[in-house]
Amino acid sequence: MENDIYLKLAHHLDHLPGGYPATASGVELRILRQLFSLEEAQLAIHLVPRPEESSEIAKRAQISDEEAEQRLNRMARKGLVFSLEFEGKPPLYMASSFVIGIWEAQVKNLTPMLNRDIREYFPTLINTDVLKKQTQLRTIPVGQSI
């Protein structure tokens, strides 16, 4: 069961911009186990790449609003999800890609094991053929000259 959650999370991250491709060794799953608790992984698969209130995510995850908000706040502090806060409004949360997102937020949390695993994984993760399939940046027309 536990392994299934991390497989689902890896698959979920692989469908975000930048991807998170599988390897034969399973190093990508070892990385996720180091970054996400089981509870966090179970919730992360319900996030989408657009900002939402925690109550919307709670419905999809079938947990209470309070539990979702607590987990999401903890995950945002750990750099596992992206959060937006506006004065007088509830915070918004969204899925974060692994590269240009989760990985960069771990700079103060690096361990020898995580460094070893990421060095093993980066040749697969930063494969230019994979990057060509899912571009991370896009042009948004604004209808005026800049």
Side-chain angles (χ1 to χ4, degrees), residues 63-78:
I63 60 174
S64 73
D65 291 355
E66 296 80 21
E67 181 65 26
E69 180 131 15
Q70 287 175 2
R71 285 191 208 174
L72 289 165
N73 282 330
R74 187 171 59 242
M75 292 167 71
R77 284 192 307 274
K78 289 174 66 176

Side-chain angles (χ1 to χ4, degrees), residues 78-133:
K78 289 174 66 176
L80 303 176
V81 302
F82 188 71
S83 68
L84 298 166
E85 294 186 27
F86 300 101
E87 194 173 322
K89 295 185 178 181
L92 303 174
Y93 303 93
M94 62 186 275
S96 187
S97 296
F98 187 76
V99 171
I100 309 187
I102 296 170
W103 173 242
E104 289 75 12
Q106 304 311 310
V107 71
K108 293 182 181 181
N109 305 316
L110 299 176
T111 64
M113 183 188 288
L114 183 57
N115 279 328
R116 182 202 66 212
D117 288 344
I118 206 70
R119 276 195 310 271
E120 180 183 333
Y121 187 51
F122 257 49
T124 300
L125 182 62
I126 308 300
N127 178 334
T128 56
D129 293 334
V130 171
L131 290 176
K132 288 177 189 173
K133 290 180 191 174

Side-chain angles (χ1 to χ4, degrees), residues 43-60:
L43 185 55
I45 62 176
H46 296 285
L47 278 90
V48 296
R50 73 177 182 316
E52 300 179 296
E53 290 185 16
S54 60
S55 58
E56 295 176 58
I57 300 163
K59 287 176 194 166
R60 281 196 302 275

Side-chain angles (χ1 to χ4, degrees), residues 11-36:
H11 184 73
H12 181 68
L13 291 172
D14 195 34
H15 284 84
L16 295 174
Y20 195 73
T23 64
S25 70
V27 68
E28 73 282 4
L29 301 177
R30 289 196 312 262
I31 292 168
L32 293 179
R33 282 189 201 93
Q34 292 174 69
L35 298 177
F36 290 81

